[in-house]
Amino acid sequence: MEILTFVLFISVGFALGASDRSFQEWLKGVRREAREAGVSEAVMGRAFRDLKPIPRVIELDRSQPEFKLTFQQYLDRMVTRKTVWDGRQRYREHKDLLNEIFRQYGVEPQYIVALWGIETRYGKITGGYPVIDVLATLAYDGRRSKFFRAELIRALKILEEGHIDVADMDGSWAGAMGQVQFMPSSFVTYAVDQDGDGRRDIWDNVPDALASAANYLSKSGWKPEQGWGGEVALPVGFDAEISDKIVKPLKEWRAMGLSGKGVEGDPDCLAHLVKPDHNSGRVFLVYPNYQVILKWNRSNYFAIAVGTLADRIAVQ
């Protein structure tokens, strides 16, 4: 492991060493593109002041985890007694706001609070990386330069529009921003000014952050009152393939002998089986809203954690 870490350090150091010689030239091209997109010299001056690639960001982007969490380990880490308790507290604290958001966007409060909790522990852990520096680092690095360059231009536009100051524009090492961890492209498409102050502030403004999350789910196809699914027990000898390609109404799954929370919804609701890993043996029957959560994050672990936390938060 020490040798691997050393090699990775040398690799990252070499890449950034090369960038030190040409980074400013590369940045000139970004400036031209940003200028064409309507970003002012004043904003670019503030955003690019003392800008340098961040070696740790490259390391995180390239490295593989030492081990992969099992589904149960992930769920136990993300949905703890404290996470549930804090979620219920936030639900009660923001009940009027959440009900207003539900009426406006059709997304139940517990799902908004659950996403908030899974993403940033209700706004407590947002990443702490300077987003402009992160996006510039990843755009220059070359592995996914086109994607991150476009995100960088969008981030500059967000600054130009005055939604946040560059010093306060923090996020994850991958550039996801604020309390609901939107990439700049998601911000542009889904962020809303819920409190009407003229800014879409997903960093420090809870109404804006939560309404933006609801807007994302709503525009992605969320169906109110449908739920997301739940765990099921399979009958002895069950031999149907567990695949998202096999979709049946809940009444047919029940007729096949499945039982548990996952079959308790609308009998005509279409659903498919998900087995998040082969270690736990746990199986879930999930509905179309589950696919909406996957649009937010393409991970079965993540989507089931959000649904599980939402269910537990809803039990006040």
Side-chain angles (χ1 to χ4, degrees):
M1 186 62 198
E2 291 179 357
I3 294 175
L4 177 61
T5 302
F6 177 74
V7 171
L8 179 61
F9 176 80
I10 293 297
S11 173
V12 171
F14 177 80
L16 294 183
S19 75
D20 287 341
R21 293 189 296 270
S22 58
F23 184 70
Q24 292 304 320
E25 284 299 316
W26 174 84
L27 199 56
K28 288 179 182 178
V30 173
R31 282 180 174 271
R32 285 193 297 271
E33 187 175 342
R35 194 177 300 115
E36 291 170 0
V39 180
S40 67
E41 291 294 337
V43 165
M44 284 189 281
R46 292 192 296 272
F48 295 150
R49 185 179 299 130
D50 302 321
L51 176 64
K52 293 181 181 178
I54 305 173
R56 178 60 176 161
V57 168
I58 301 297
E59 182 180 343
L60 288 168
D61 186 52
R62 293 184 184 179
S63 64
Q64 297 296 322
E66 293 182 49
F67 62 92
K68 180 180 178 181
L69 294 176
T70 66
F71 168 68
Q72 195 59 53
Q73 288 170 334
Y74 177 87
L75 194 63
D76 290 345
R77 178 176 294 187
M78 302 306 291
V79 185
T80 65
R81 282 188 293 180
K82 178 170 175 51
T83 309
V84 173
W85 189 88
D86 286 348
R88 290 172 178 168
Q89 288 289 102
R90 298 299 183 278
Y91 188 116
R92 288 191 287 268
E93 179 183 353
H94 299 289
K95 185 175 181 179
D96 290 344
L97 169 65
L98 289 163
N99 286 335
E100 173 189 318
I101 289 172
F102 178 43
R103 289 191 296 270
Q104 188 170 353
Y105 297 100
V107 181
E108 296 89 335
Q110 64 266 30
Y111 294 101
I112 302 304
V113 177
L115 276 168
W116 191 21
I118 296 295
E119 284 288 13
T120 64
R121 288 296 187 266
Y122 311 107
K124 293 178 182 177
I125 305 172
T126 59
Y129 283 88
V131 167
I132 296 297
D133 298 52
V134 163
L135 295 174
T137 298
L138 293 169
Y140 183 79
D141 178 54
R143 194 168 77 84
R144 291 178 289 169
S145 59
K146 184 177 180 180
F147 171 78
F148 283 110
R149 186 175 179 124
E151 294 293 335
L152 175 58
I153 299 300
R154 293 185 183 102
L156 292 168
K157 287 285 290 181
I158 292 167
L159 293 174
E160 181 68 35
E161 292 170 2
H163 299 295
I164 191 74
D165 294 329
V166 65
D168 300 319
M169 192 186 225
D170 66 346
S172 75
W173 65 263
M177 309 181 301
Q179 298 200 33
V180 290
Q181 295 290 276
F182 275 4
M183 292 299 291
S185 53
S186 293
F187 180 99
V188 169
T189 305
Y190 302 110
V192 298
D193 174 18
Q194 186 67 15
D195 65 357
D197 68 352
R199 300 166 67 225
R200 294 182 285 167
D201 179 4
I202 62 172
W203 293 267
D204 300 311
N205 186 308
V206 171
D208 286 4
L210 301 189
S212 296
N215 189 41
Y216 186 110
L217 294 180
S218 178
K219 287 186 175 178
S220 297
W222 188 267
K223 303 297 183 186
E225 311 299 343
Q226 183 185 83
W228 68 277
E231 190 166 10
V232 291
L234 305 179
V236 176
F238 183 84
D239 61 358
E241 182 183 359
I242 296 178
S243 168
D244 59 5
K245 303 293 191 298
I246 300 176
V247 180
K248 303 175 185 291
L250 287 182
K251 59 188 176 185
E252 292 188 23
W253 290 113
R254 281 201 290 265
M256 294 172 69
L258 276 68
S259 60
K261 180 182 179 299
V263 294
E264 294 174 358
D266 177 357
D268 294 317
C269 179
L270 296 177
H272 70 268
L273 292 170
V274 169
K275 190 173 185 179
D277 69 12
H278 296 289
N279 296 315
S280 68
R282 300 179 68 177
V283 179
F284 297 79
L285 194 59
V286 299
Y287 314 156
N289 279 344
Y290 181 86
Q291 300 301 320
V292 175
I293 300 173
L294 285 180
K295 291 178 183 178
W296 185 292
N297 184 318
R298 300 296 303 179
S299 162
N300 284 317
Y301 285 19
F302 176 88
I304 293 172
V306 169
T308 300
L309 181 56
D311 289 344
R312 295 185 64 181
I313 288 171
V315 181
Q316 294 287 316

